[in-house]
Amino acid sequence: MNINTIKTEIDFISKNIEAELVVINSAQGLEELRIKYLGRQGAFAQLTGMIPCLSLPERSRIGQEINTLKKRLLSIIEEKQKTIIIKPAVSDKFICDIGLPAIVQEIGRLHPITKVIDEICAVFNRIGFSVVEGPEIETEYNNFTGLNISLEHPSREAFDTFYLKPQGLKVSRCQEEKLLLRSHTSPVQIRMMSSHKPPLAVIVPGRVYRPDAVDASHSFMFHQIEGFMVDENIRFSDLKGILEVFAKDVFGEDIKMRFRPHFFPFTEPSAEVDISCIICRRKQRTENREQRKHCSVCGGKGWLEILGSGMIHPNVFKNVGYDPKKYTGFAFGMGVERIAMLKYGIDDIRLFFENDLRFLKQF
Ligand code: DAH
């Protein structure tokens, strides 16, 4: 091995590199070129391996030449790399990594309370009721006075109702109305009857508010559905018949109902309505009475209260300008959360409002 052989080799590599680089257009090709020349067994390693055969002064000269060539090669590889990254050979092709996780579009669904409201409204809609909504901020008159709820009634106390500040709404020059978050959906009776003549058959879903401490069966906000019908000759039996259609539709054909006398200021006579317990109704067929005593839903009574109802009080008719001698009507009001809890066997009202998807996904 002499110096000329090594010089020829250096020249050859130098020319070859240029020629090879021109045709490389991928990162992979560039890497192969790097390994071919700069790898552990590459051309440069072989050149360096020849150095010991040379005389001492030749060694440093050839060593320098090899290093210069090596530096040049490294810098042109670096330059080439930039152009490859900016303009990849596959840029005009569609790149699809089928190993990437899919983007799943979650499909939303209705909240269970919305579902129950829709279901109940649909039942009444089918038998001729119109669905009407009222405001959640109500006047004290519509919420209480117009509904024959006296000044002494405990629900009018500040701690039983959310009164709003500033407290007044000017209804005329000398009269100011207190405003509150409605405590029931019954005030829509006053709104509808004051602005419409009978016959009326209306169903009113909506949110109501009471300053109750939150626990498994209470919430400061919940939903109610109010219903009422007014015309000449509307009787208590109409109320019974219509509520039976509703109960059978929502809870099943074999449900039984009972009306218990009760008191509401806006109806006379008034009744609370119970349905046969939907939990031990099923057990009644197979288990004895002793076992039924332990039903966690009705406590063994066999009945569940679902709503309040009655014949609209003559004073309410007077307050809206209807002649109580000419018109009669019935009204009823139910808590939607209670109906939903009974229907789906839910034992804690808070579940409806916590937005826990594990709960909501079940509906
Ligand atoms: N408004 C009553 C409440 O919130 C429910 C109610 C009872 C409504 C009897 C009625 C009715 O229309 O007749 O407790």
Side-chain angles (χ1 to χ4, degrees), residues 14 32 74 88 93 135 146 150 175 226 236 244 262-264 290 307 314 334 338 342 354 356 359:
S14 178
E32 281 166 7
L74 278 168
K93 287 193 190 143
S150 66
Q175 219 189 334
E226 176 85 13
F236 199 90
E244 194 164 327
H262 198 76
F263 171 77
F264 295 107
E290 201 48 42
L307 55 86
M334 64 184 99
R338 176 154 175 85
L342 292 174
E354 282 168 351
D356 186 334
F359 170 74

Side-chain angles (χ1 to χ4, degrees), residues 92-107:
D92 54 343
K93 287 193 190 143
F94 172 67
I95 303 168
C96 172
D97 181 352
I98 58 165
L100 285 174
I103 299 164
V104 181
Q105 293 288 346
E106 292 241 23
I107 297 170

Side-chain angles (χ1 to χ4, degrees), residues 9 34 63-64 70 113 116 118 211 249 256 258-259 324 360:
E9 194 65 20
R34 193 190 63 78
Q64 268 174 17
K70 210 170 173 180
I113 292 299
V116 171
D118 287 353
D249 212 299
K256 291 191 199 79
R258 73 172 186 186
F259 286 70
L360 296 173

Side-chain angles (χ1 to χ4, degrees), residues 234-286:
I234 299 287
R235 294 151 304 174
F236 199 90
S237 53
D238 295 316
L239 169 68
K240 288 183 93 171
I242 276 170
L243 288 182
E244 194 164 327
V245 171
F246 148 73
K248 291 198 162 155
D249 212 299
V250 174
F251 293 106
E253 270 302 308
D254 57 344
I255 211 82
K256 291 191 199 79
M257 290 184 89
R258 73 172 186 186
F259 286 70
R260 274 182 296 104
H262 198 76
F263 171 77
F264 295 107
F266 32 88
T267 44
E268 181 61 33
S270 307
E272 275 192 330
V273 178
D274 299 338
I275 53 165
S276 47
C277 178
I278 49 172
I279 303 300
C280 57
R281 162 185 71 178
R282 290 179 199 115
K283 293 185 184 168
Q284 275 168 19
R285 299 186 195 115
T286 52

Side-chain angles (χ1 to χ4, degrees), residues 302-331:
W303 294 100
L304 300 166
E305 184 213 316
I306 55 160
L307 55 86
S309 66
M311 299 305 288
I312 296 174
H313 198 290
N315 286 351
V316 174
F317 281 151
K318 281 184 208 154
N319 289 340
V320 295
Y322 284 4
D323 179 357
K325 290 203 186 81
K326 187 172 179 197
Y327 295 112
T328 50
F330 64 73

